[in-house]
Structures are given as structure tokens and as C-alpha cells.
Amino acid sequence: MPWHLVLTVDRGARLPLTVQVRNGLRALIEDTTLWPGTRLPSTRQLAADLGVSRSVVVEAYEQLSAEGYLETRAGSGTTVSARAASHDTSSTLVTDDPEPLPEAVCDLRTGTSNVVDFPRQEWIRCVTAVVNGAGRQELGYSPPAGVPLTRRVLTGYLGRVRGVRVRPEDLMMTAGFAQGLALICAVLLDRGHTALGVEDPGHPGEREFITSAGLRPVGIPVDEDGLRVDLLEDSGVRAVLVTPGNQFPTGVRLAPDRRERLVAWARAVDGYVIEDDFDSSFLHRADRLPSLQSLAPDRVVYAGSASKALAPALRLGWLAAPSELMASVEGVRAGWDIGCSGLEQLAFTRFVDTGGFDRHQRALRAEFHRRRQVLRQHAATHLPGSRLLGRNSGLQGYLELPPDTDETTLVRTARRHHILVRGGQFYTLTTTPKRPPALVISYATTPPQTLTRALTTLTTAYTETISRPKE
């Protein structure tokens, strides 16, 4: 294999060429430009690249091997030795957890995706077909808004499964939901918005993202019928981010009358609703309503992605927006990048067009329904006084606890039992109105048997917490 290496020699220097090669390689290893395990060119190849005799490189390699910097194995070539690291980088690792993690844990925190069931073989077939059929156009730059074929196919798909009403030219492919939200925030700022309404409780990461984009997140309380639109009307904001199909993290659904009132509010204030349809793939048929966007394509920006349904690594998302807003979004996008990977878009297009996406989601929907039933049955039997909000869909359960439960203590006790879980307070923005203590339990990456064991352990932590004397 003709490996390349960033190394030069100076024939006018007083140092012999062998010393220059040796010193140059040693410096690259010691400053960690070359990490342990890095494959180096053969002596013949490096000599040809540098324009020196092979004996010069052979001698340099032999000296560095004797010093412990290189390893040479028959049939495997020459690599940087594992002993060559000049310093231990383990001390530089940081964690966002205040305490070290237990050695063995079951992670029930939200924010994860089920990548174990990623349809590898079917995806490989789609990628192979796309690459084999790719011509100059497919291998060139894609339009910033996305590959035209992808936008056409996705428009049809979203109309079929979510009732989204949009033209292909008003649909944009993005690098996941995050980029779509960033684009919308930038446009809102340009139009004089200073704040963006968000659901409370809601996604803490999105609130931080909105703040970093220059807008102020304003919490709008959520009850069992979804967003309190009456409080939104008094908030002074002219745009709001919502998860109406399956509210995150509570799992409640925006009631039909509130859907109508929310659309009326957007028209009255000349504003917009951003619909984050993050887990529509996992909504049970009985729980599934058409997208909010279907009621008002002129006022609702529909946003989705493949992160939860396939894998976050694909960085595939989409925005469906009113024409006049999409023109502004495209203007902002033009100054940011030149679009997403065209080949990945085309592979996704084929995956959708051949029915693979529907099949994959149907299988996941059935699996997550089973997991939620495990959570519902366990809570009803082993967690007296608890109540699971929402219906039978989604990737997590919002479990309300008796009013006198110490939520913080319960989360800490669960951690000592090797269960990582977050309380409801983690997702709240304001302290009013005060919500009952709760646990938010994700089962996105936890199969039923493992989930049952984790919930049994969580029950032990719950029992210890409620039996602890009050201070």
C-alpha cells in the first residue's frame, strides 16, 4: 500500500540524510502528529517519495525501532509503537457527570438512538446501487437545498405518512434537526425576533442551542393536553418550537382544539410555529394524528430527521417551510455551507423509495411498543402511587411520582445502584407552575429483558428513597 507521509529532507543541510529522516520521524511521533498504531510507508516507498537511497530510510527505521518508536512486523509493515506516546492523555478526558460513573450501568437517560437495529445490509445495498449508478452529476456538488430527486421523493413520503403539504422546492435537506433549527433561528433574528417560545418541560439542549443562536427561550407550560396556548398568547413571543405529536419528554399529545388555537395565534401575531416531529416513526397507529403543518402550511415549519429512525451519524434532516420563509432560509444557508452529502441523500432516497424505510420503522414501532408496555406494567405493579403520562408511543416514559417523593435523592440512589436516569426537574425551565416529582425513563436502547431488570433495580432505589426518614 503506497502510504504517504508528511516528511521532507534538506540536501543543503549539514546533517546526514539518515539523521534528518530519523529526527523528523521522531519529532512527528513525540508531538503526537503520528499516533501509536499509525501505519508508515515502506522503506522503498518513503525513499522514492524523498528522493533518497533506500539504505537511508532503512537505517532511520532501524534506529527508531531500537529506540522503541517504531514496530516492524512481517506482513504488517511498520507502525508507530504503542510505547512511543510521550505523555499520558487519559488525564485530559473530561465528563459532563459530576460523579464518576459506576463500573457497570444501565443507562435510561434520554438522548440516545437505537443504532443496534440499523438496517445495515439494506443500507449497504442502497449505497452500492447509488455509487454504481452515479455519474458526473451525482458525484458533483449538490444544490445547497438538497438533491432534487431526494426532495421529490421525500415530499411524497411526508405527504403520505404525515400529511405534510409542501412542494419539493420548499423542502430543504439539512445536517440533522440541529442545523434546521439554527437556520430558522438565524432567519427569525434577521426579522427582528428576540425570543422563541419553548415547551416547559422540554429539551434542555435545544434551549441552550437557541440561546447560543442569539434568541431568548421563553418557557410555555405543558399540561396533559399539551402546550398551554393561552399562556403562549400572553408571552409576547411571535414564534414557538413545539413537539405536538408526542411532547418531549411527557409524551402527551397537543389536543385538537389547541392545535386550531395555536395556528390561529400564529396568524394573529404574524409569526411561526416550528414543529419538531422527532419521533413520528414510533407513534402507534391509534396515537398518530396528521402533522400540525397540514393545518397551516403558511405558518408552520415542519422539521424532521433520520437520527432517531435510522442513525444520528447519517446527519440527514429536513425542513418544510412556507415559500417566503424558505427563500430566507436558503439565503442564510448559502453563506454557511454548500449542502449535505449528495450520495447519502440518494442512498436515503432509494431506501425510502423501495419501502425499506417503511419496513424498518414498522419493526421499530412494534419493538418500542413492547418496551413501553413493560414500563407501564412494571410501574402499575411495583411503583405504587406513580403514573405514566402519555399514550402507548414514543421513546421514553414520563413517570409522575407521589408528591412527597424526593426526586433528587431518588436519582442519586438509582445511580448508586448502577442505574442512570434523570428526574423531571432536569427538563424544566421555570419553577412555576410547580410540577410533581417525576422520572423520565428512556427505553430507546434497552431491550425488554434488560429493561425489566433495570426497572426492578429502580424499584429498589425507589423503596429506599421513600422509606428514608425526612430531615
Side-chain angles (χ1 to χ4, degrees):
M1 177 70 70
W3 304 98
H4 297 288
L5 182 65
V6 181
L7 187 69
T8 59
V9 293
D10 181 2
R11 287 174 175 75
R14 298 178 62 183
L15 285 176
L17 292 175
T18 295
V19 175
Q20 290 187 49
V21 173
R22 182 195 63 199
N23 290 352
L25 278 172
R26 185 192 290 118
L28 290 172
I29 294 170
E30 289 182 343
D31 69 8
T32 68
T33 299
L34 298 178
W35 280 84
T38 301
R39 184 78 173 269
L40 298 185
S42 67
T43 55
R44 190 183 305 278
Q45 182 64 54
L46 184 56
D49 290 343
L50 296 178
V52 299
S53 68
R54 186 184 176 198
S55 62
V56 168
V57 179
V58 169
E59 184 178 349
Y61 274 23
E62 289 177 347
Q63 290 178 353
L64 289 173
S65 295
E67 295 172 12
Y69 284 92
L70 300 180
E71 291 180 351
T72 301
R73 295 179 181 176
S76 299
T78 302
T79 60
V80 177
S81 170
R83 298 174 294 165
S86 59
H87 61 280
D88 182 6
T89 59
S90 61
S91 62
T92 64
L93 297 177
V94 296
T95 175
D96 57 359
D97 289 293
E99 304 172 17
L101 295 178
E103 291 183 1
V105 301
C106 183
D107 196 343
L108 301 179
R109 296 174 297 183
T110 58
T112 54
S113 300
N114 179 8
V115 297
V116 173
D117 293 320
F118 181 77
R120 298 171 189 270
Q121 294 306 313
E122 194 156 9
W123 186 259
I124 288 172
R125 286 194 291 271
C126 290
V127 171
T128 301
V130 165
V131 173
N132 287 340
R136 291 185 178 182
Q137 182 176 348
E138 290 79 13
L139 293 173
Y141 290 107
S142 304
V147 175
L149 177 61
T150 300
R151 294 159 75 186
R152 287 199 302 273
V153 169
L154 190 57
T155 294
Y157 169 81
L158 293 175
R160 172 168 60 85
V161 302
R162 299 299 295 135
V164 174
R165 298 158 54 195
V166 65
R167 304 178 304 169
E169 54 265 40
D170 293 327
L171 183 77
M172 173 180 284
M173 301 303 298
T174 62
F177 172 77
Q179 186 183 46
L181 179 59
L183 288 165
I184 295 298
C185 286
V187 170
L188 293 177
L189 277 170
D190 289 343
R191 297 189 176 199
H193 291 248
T194 59
L196 178 64
V198 295
E199 295 170 324
D200 191 8
H203 197 305
E206 287 183 357
R207 295 197 296 262
E208 294 175 4
F209 193 88
I210 291 165
T211 300
S212 66
L215 294 173
R216 177 172 55 90
V218 176
I220 311 297
V222 169
D223 63 19
E224 294 191 18
D225 287 324
L227 186 79
R228 288 281 306 273
V229 183
D230 58 323
L231 299 181
L232 173 67
E233 293 167 342
D234 297 331
S235 68
V237 302
R238 293 192 298 116
V240 63
L241 173 63
V242 296
T243 52
N246 194 46
Q247 201 274 330
F248 180 85
T250 65
V252 301
R253 188 172 66 186
L254 188 63
D257 61 321
R258 292 193 185 179
R259 286 161 61 98
E260 298 282 354
R261 188 169 178 176
L262 181 58
V263 168
W265 165 84
R267 290 200 170 104
V269 300
D270 189 24
Y272 295 99
V273 178
I274 306 168
E275 179 180 11
D276 178 6
D277 203 20
F278 73 101
D279 70 346
S280 62
S281 299
F282 313 115
L283 297 182
H284 193 269
R285 183 176 297 278
D287 299 335
R288 201 181 312 159
L289 289 176
S291 67
L292 183 68
Q293 190 268 0
S294 66
L295 297 180
D298 60 324
R299 287 296 165 187
V300 179
V301 178
Y302 179 88
S305 81
S307 294
K308 295 292 188 290
L310 284 174
L314 294 177
R315 306 314 303 141
L316 283 172
W318 42 87
L319 284 179
S323 297
E324 58 88 17
L325 189 65
M326 183 54 76
S328 299
V329 172
E330 289 179 347
V332 173
R333 180 74 180 272
W336 285 13
D337 60 29
I338 52 176
C340 308
S341 165
L343 292 179
E344 283 196 351
Q345 291 181 57
L346 288 170
F348 180 63
T349 303
R350 186 174 181 85
F351 191 57
V352 172
D353 211 22
T354 57
F357 199 34
D358 282 274
R359 289 190 295 272
H360 179 63
Q361 290 178 95
R362 192 177 296 113
L364 286 185
R365 191 156 51 242
E367 173 61 21
F368 287 130
H369 180 70
R370 285 193 291 270
R371 297 181 189 185
R372 187 172 182 87
Q373 291 303 105
V374 169
L375 174 58
R376 184 178 294 280
Q377 292 167 8
H378 188 94
T381 305
H382 301 289
L383 297 173
S386 67
R387 185 171 70 109
L388 185 64
L389 267 61
R391 299 169 183 262
N392 288 315
S393 299
L395 299 172
Q396 72 282 325
Y398 191 91
L399 192 65
E400 281 193 352
L401 304 171
D404 59 346
T405 305
D406 189 329
E407 179 185 300
T408 302
T409 299
L410 175 54
V411 170
R412 290 175 178 170
T413 303
R415 187 187 186 92
R416 287 199 295 271
H417 284 278
H418 296 187
I419 301 295
L420 301 180
V421 67
R422 290 190 174 112
Q425 294 176 13
F426 178 82
Y427 301 89
T428 59
L429 179 58
T430 60
T431 57
T432 55
K434 183 175 176 57
R435 301 184 65 88
L439 291 178
V440 181
I441 300 174
S442 170
Y443 41 82
T445 60
T446 312
Q449 289 186 340
T450 305
L451 181 61
T452 298
R453 291 195 297 270
L455 292 174
T456 300
T457 305
L458 189 60
T459 298
T460 301
Y462 176 72
T463 302
E464 291 180 10
T465 300
I466 61 176
S467 63
R468 183 171 301 171
K470 298 291 189 298
E471 296 182 357

